[in-house]
């Protein structure tokens, strides 16, 4: 893994965004206000969102809990691979709309049915409620694969930011579900740690701040942080082939890369890519930032290749 290069230039579009100031996400706003700001801030800016066969909202009811999902079906030959997409937002923010553009690109680029899950969020529902919701929808995807036009033997999980945390947890507890690939984009893998260089270098001024992460963890798992942090998990060898994408100017960069090192040491087939010149959340900027376009293409090609060439080393039995 590469050391920090503080002289590396930010993409001009991202630099202009940062010059407008950081959004009032939780440090200066209530949870409802922050959620509304997140919806406004992360609406797709891409005017070239691919055309899909269809997109549909559904409600999955599991053990008296209603879980909203959005299903994206590309124009591809059935049965297709299936992706469970778990959105980020610090376990508190984010929803199906904030990540709609990302899901459309994943579906078209990977040639896969994407099922995005809107799990119950903190602080109303702290750890492990979100993990349970995502795992339940993962099992639902496998059970409904034929109806959806998907292949139950080619299921992957994709998570960005806090969604990466949940994606890892789902794989580790998804007994019986044949998950073949795991893609993590600028994932949260540990609670805040100022000993990490990226935590010191990017604590403020780069979008996601140290104070935001402190608040997110306090709301999500105030008394169970060791249990909730994937980097603290002792046994990762059951993970399937894993892709970890990090951002050069992201407070979470070092913990994401530490997770990639740990999976490699556990014998997991792991690929890591650090994207230069970008900050946390850059995948929302497909169509505006060339590095985001390149990263999306890399992620979807990796998913295509992995789901077609691997029988998978993770049967979760």
């Amino acid at each position: 893994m590469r050391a920090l290069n503080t002289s590396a230039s930010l993409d001009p579009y991202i630099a202009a965004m940062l010059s407008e100031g950081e959004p009032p996400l939780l440090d200066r706003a209530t949870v409802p206000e922050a959620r509304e700001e997140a919806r406004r801030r992360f609406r797709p800016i891409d005017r070239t969102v691919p055309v899909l066969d269809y997109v549909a909202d559904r409600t999955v009811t599991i053990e008296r809990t209603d879980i909203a999902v959005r299903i994206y079906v590309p124009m591809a030959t059935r049965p297709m691979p299936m992706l469970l997409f778990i959105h980020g937002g610090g376990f508190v923010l984010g929803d199906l709309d904030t990540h709609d553009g990302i899901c459309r690109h994943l579906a078209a680029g990977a040639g896969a049915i994407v099922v995005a899950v809107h799990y119950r969020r903190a602080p109303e529902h702290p750890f492990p409620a979100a993990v349970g919701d995502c795992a339940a929808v993962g099992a639902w995807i496998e059970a409904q694969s034929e109806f959806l036009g998907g292949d139950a033997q080619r299921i992957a999980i994709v998570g960005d930011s806090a969604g990466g945390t949940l994606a890892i947890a789902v794989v580790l507890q998804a007994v019986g579900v044949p998950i073949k690939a795991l893609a993590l984009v600028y994932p949260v893998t540990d609670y805040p740690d100022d000993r990490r260089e990226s935590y010191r270098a990017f604590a403020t001024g780069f979008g996601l701040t140290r104070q935001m992460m402190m608040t997110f963890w306090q709301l999500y798992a105030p008394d169970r942080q060791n249990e909730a942090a994937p980097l603290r998990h002792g046994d990762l060898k059951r993970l399937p082939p894993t892709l970890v994408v990090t951002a050069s100017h992201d407070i979470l960069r070092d913990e994401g890369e530490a997770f990639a090192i740990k999976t490699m040491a556990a014998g997991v087939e792991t690929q890591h890519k650090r994207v230069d010149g970008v900050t946390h959340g850059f995948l929302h900027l497909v169509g505006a930032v060339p590095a985001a376009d390149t990263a999306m293409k890399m992620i979807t090609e990796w998913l295509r290749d992995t789901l077609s060439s691997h029988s998978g080393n993770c049967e979760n039995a």
Side-chain angles (χ1 to χ4, degrees), residues 280-299:
H280 189 81
F282 73 86
L283 209 60
H284 288 280
L285 302 177
V286 169
V289 173
D293 297 351
T294 301
M296 178 63 77
K297 185 173 185 291
M298 182 269 295
I299 293 165

Side-chain angles (χ1 to χ4, degrees), residues 244-293:
V244 181
V245 179
T246 57
S248 61
H249 292 63
D250 180 8
I251 194 171
L252 303 182
R253 189 204 61 205
D254 289 356
E255 67 190 66
E257 297 182 359
F259 186 80
I261 292 172
K262 189 169 182 177
T263 59
M264 292 176 192
V268 176
E269 182 181 329
T270 304
Q271 182 173 328
H272 166 250
K273 171 65 177 177
R274 182 192 292 182
V275 182
D276 290 326
V278 296
T279 54
H280 189 81
F282 73 86
L283 209 60
H284 288 280
L285 302 177
V286 169
V289 173
D293 297 351

Side-chain angles (χ1 to χ4, degrees), residues 33-155:
E33 289 170 343
R35 286 174 177 165
E36 183 56 37
E37 173 62 19
R39 280 191 290 270
R40 184 196 68 79
R41 190 174 180 85
F42 293 114
R43 289 190 183 279
I45 62 169
D46 185 8
R47 299 295 182 263
T48 62
V49 173
V51 176
L52 304 178
D53 191 2
Y54 70 87
V55 177
D57 287 351
R58 289 193 58 179
T59 299
V60 178
T61 302
I62 299 171
E63 297 181 355
R64 299 182 181 180
T65 298
D66 291 337
I67 306 170
V69 300
R70 184 170 293 168
I71 303 168
Y72 302 80
V73 180
M75 296 178 180
T77 303
R78 292 169 173 78
M80 289 175 263
M82 306 186 73
L83 309 181
L84 171 63
F85 179 80
I86 306 176
H87 68 76
F91 315 103
V92 177
L93 315 176
D95 56 30
L96 298 178
D97 291 332
T98 58
H99 288 68
D100 184 72
I102 290 175
C103 289
R104 289 173 185 268
H105 280 285
L106 286 171
I113 296 168
V114 173
V115 178
V117 53
H118 184 40
Y119 49 85
R120 289 174 293 170
R121 298 170 295 180
E124 299 91 337
H125 303 281
F127 176 84
V131 177
D133 290 353
C134 295
V137 172
W140 179 85
I141 288 173
E142 184 191 25
Q144 297 295 317
S145 59
E146 184 175 357
F147 172 76
L148 295 172
D151 183 350
Q153 297 305 310
R154 292 188 293 158
I155 298 175

